[in-house]
Amino acid sequence: MKILVINCGSSSIKYQFYSLGESRILAKGIVEKIGMKGSFLKHEKESGQKVLFEGEILDHKIGIEYILGVMSSVKHGCIGSLDEVNAVGHRVVHGGEEFSESVLITDEVIVALEKFSELAPLHNPPNLKGIYAVKSVIPDIPQVAVFDTAFHHTMPQHVFMYAIPYALYKKYGIRRYGFHGTSHKYVSNRACEILGVNPKEVKVITCHLGNGTSACAIKYGESVDTSMGFTPVEGLIMGTRSGDIDMGAVTYIMDKERIGTKSASILFNKHSGLLGITGISSDSREIRAAAFEKGDERCLLAIKMFDYRIKKYIGAYAAAMGGLDVLVFTGGIGENSDITRTGVCENLEFLGIEIDQQINEGLRGEERVISKEGSRVKVMVVPTNEELMIAIDTQHIVDNKK
Ligand code: ADP
């Protein structure tokens, strides 16, 4: 089955085109700067050859038309006609309380997704644009929504509730939803596969450390807690998001700086985290360079804060699950930064976490067990692959529909 996986942002569309039976990625690419000056499509063929198309891409529909046009073109294409695309899988950020797993997109599902746009105003509207665009260009194709929130549906109520008036939960759905679910699910399953253990028999903590960061406690194959909450701003320190902060400090800052909710949201989502602390960058590579090559104090501090917060969550989740068997690092930082992995795991020997530095040092983007032979907890690096997970889920749903 050939499946197009789409991840729509407000001004971008990322895509990967899979032939799942053959385990091939036939093409991938990205449309950027939609609706702006200088929009373009960067397309990569299976051979690795890259082509760049510049043009006026005014909206997501034109973006999708561009992608499908290139995919089926004689010169750069990988299919004879659009009939060869069997299904489209979309990354959808928020599935609310309704969707505990991926679904075939129907008119009713679209109504529900429109409703959840209120909960994820930055993410769901562009995801919906992608769905509408595909619907108008290739109307009869089955489309599947794969939610970032779905994997966390198994969290028990005492974990997902906030201690605020219960009426607000009922009225507005204020609770922890969690995000990055597709990634946490993929890397935890993959880790178990590599180790040859049954996910239903182990306690796993996954740390997705990219621009967005989150940790997840996965007990016997189910997410039982995760660090992102009602929105992705809660939890670990991120590139530009603050993560956990005393809400008293939030209202105090709003009072003192005389800012409203919109500005406060921008402050804690876009100007905080690593960028806020260092004042230099949200990119961990630049921060590391400034810290270790120039001795920049704030960059050194940011690195310590970043690692410490993750360590704290690992301790908390080990306690929540009553133990730990596998610890997984993923995301741009988790996959590539040996220093972060070391900083996080330092002094966690009491939990049974012992990294083998000979393996860890310099390890980048590779599936590997990085703990010592006798380490009670297996520590692993597993590169995430959300697109593949979306393709697999899409195939599964479309197959079951037949
Ligand atoms: P996103 O959440 O946007 O998908 P990524 O998972 O690509 O982001 O992660 C981006 C982060 O990964 C950045 O902070 C970047 O510095 C970091 N990163 C990427 N490659 C490396 C590397 N080789 N060494 C250290 N950090 C890296």
Side-chain angles (χ1 to χ4, degrees), residues 253-264:
I253 293 166
M254 289 173 75
D255 269 351
K256 286 286 180 194
E257 294 282 313
R258 296 178 190 278
I259 56 172
T261 50
K262 267 216 172 94
S263 301

Side-chain angles (χ1 to χ4, degrees), residues 6-9 11-15 29-31 34 60 63-64 67:
I6 288 180
N7 181 356
C8 277
S11 63
S12 69
I13 306 172
K14 286 190 201 144
Y15 63 95
I30 185 165
V31 177
I34 295 173
H60 285 71
I64 295 286
I67 294 168

